[in-house]
Amino acid sequence: MSWPILALVCALCQALADVLTRRFLSACTAAEVVVVRLGLTAILLLPLMALRPPALPDPAFWGWVGLALPLELLAMVLYMTAIRVSPLALTLPYLAFTPVFSALFGWLVLGEQVSLRGLGGVLLVVVGTWALNLERPEAGQARSWLAPLVAIGRERGSRLMLGVALIYSLTSVLGKGALQHLPATVFGPFYYGLLGLCTVAFFSWREPRAVRCLWRPSWPQVLIAVFSAGMVLTHFLAIEQVQVAYMIGLKRTSILLGILLGALWLGETRLLQHLLAACLMVLGVVLIVL
């Protein structure tokens, strides 16, 4: 299967997992949702690890992974909380800030120069964010051009997803370091297996109720884990065929699919406005990462 098809299937799986999570798990705690998205998914990926067992990685691999795993767990807790408390249209688009933060860190820490195309991508992400929160002022109120940006501070899910994007900008660097020591198709299931194991161990200690779903999962929980596992598998199959930047650019269409499914299935409003704004943000991502 060609990498564009794999990337689009990956995007669809991620969008479906997010929509199903909001539809069926909104009443669950963040810990319970994270165990489903990471722990139950890791169980489904175990056969892949058995089919392609990795050779024992060198010590450098464990250094990269040891730094990445706690951040990944924190990011997932914030992610699941965000899509439970706020509409998908006001949370998923903020994942577009991940490459923006990566470019910013590269400039501040490493002195990397951002190209004019990259600057244009950053501008599109910011403009898309502004358009995402643009509302018509009520009668008698003056329009403030900063109001859409100020609105981010009032929407808890938006704030949380910005935090997720910030963390992902760090874990993407750590993941690249770890990928130097294992093939991509082996690294994916192995890394998610480790992440799932750490998730189950952590919540077994902190919140034992959260891990009960592993023994008697409901059908929505199983379906969410299936789509999450599909996302992981297609992600790493795709980047085995093409540079990561190209794959991530296409995978970010999951933002658009999530908004569309949120409107059609969950009744979220202002579909056209949110889709157009998210299109600007996704286009910005493509300009930054390519």
Side-chain angles (χ1 to χ4, degrees):
M1 191 178 295
S2 63
W3 76 264
I5 295 176
L6 287 168
L8 289 173
V9 171
C10 180
L12 180 60
C13 285
Q14 182 171 354
L16 286 169
D18 288 341
V19 172
L20 288 169
T21 297
R22 179 159 175 80
R23 172 66 178 81
F24 292 106
L25 304 187
S26 290
C28 299
T29 66
E32 291 170 330
V33 180
V34 171
V35 169
V36 171
R37 292 289 292 257
L38 295 180
L40 198 55
T41 298
I43 292 174
L44 296 181
L45 290 170
L46 284 177
L48 293 178
M49 293 179 61
L51 290 173
R52 302 186 67 173
L56 187 64
D58 57 48
F61 171 84
W62 297 108
W64 291 109
V65 169
L67 291 172
L69 288 178
L71 292 174
E72 290 275 11
L73 181 53
L74 174 60
M76 185 57 74
V77 171
L78 297 179
Y79 193 136
M80 295 301 101
T81 303
I83 65 174
R84 284 170 52 250
V85 302
S86 295
L88 296 178
L90 296 180
T91 50
L92 297 183
Y94 291 96
L95 290 175
F97 274 88
T98 300
V100 174
F101 290 138
S102 295
L104 180 62
F105 287 141
W107 176 62
L108 290 175
V109 178
L110 303 176
E112 295 177 349
Q113 296 299 310
V114 181
S115 66
L116 287 177
R117 184 174 61 186
L119 286 174
V122 171
L123 181 61
L124 282 176
V125 172
V126 174
V127 171
T129 302
W130 179 84
L132 194 69
N133 294 285
L134 185 63
E135 295 184 9
R136 180 174 298 178
E138 297 180 6
Q141 289 185 342
R143 180 187 296 274
S144 170
W145 293 104
L146 291 177
L149 299 179
V150 173
I152 298 173
R154 296 196 300 267
E155 188 68 48
R156 185 185 176 207
S158 300
R159 299 196 308 272
L160 290 172
M161 200 61 91
L162 278 174
V164 174
L166 180 63
I167 295 172
Y168 280 167
S169 69
L170 298 174
T171 57
S172 64
V173 175
L174 298 173
K176 288 178 184 177
L179 269 170
Q180 297 173 8
H181 305 275
L182 279 180
T185 50
V186 176
F187 173 80
F190 184 62
Y191 180 74
Y192 262 78
L194 287 174
L195 183 56
L197 180 63
C198 292
T199 299
V200 173
F202 177 77
F203 286 113
S204 294
W205 168 58
R206 292 283 298 183
E207 196 171 332
R209 284 184 54 194
V211 300
R212 291 179 183 174
C213 68
L214 297 178
W215 323 129
R216 298 182 64 182
S218 63
W219 73 263
Q221 291 171 336
V222 172
L223 202 55
I224 289 167
V226 167
F227 285 124
S228 296
M231 183 271 293
V232 174
L233 179 60
T234 52
H235 176 104
F236 288 100
L237 286 174
I239 63 175
E240 196 174 52
Q241 299 181 29
V242 70
Q243 293 180 20
V244 175
Y246 293 107
M247 187 273 172
I248 292 298
L250 194 52
K251 180 184 174 182
R252 282 295 175 249
T253 55
S254 65
I255 295 172
L256 307 179
L257 293 171
I259 291 173
L260 182 61
L261 291 172
L264 295 178
W265 194 5
L266 306 178
E268 296 186 0
T269 57
R270 295 156 58 195
L271 172 61
L272 181 59
Q273 175 192 342
H274 291 153
L275 269 181
L276 291 176
C279 282
L280 289 177
M281 299 174 79
V282 172
L283 180 57
V285 169
V286 172
L287 291 178
I288 294 170
V289 301
L290 297 186

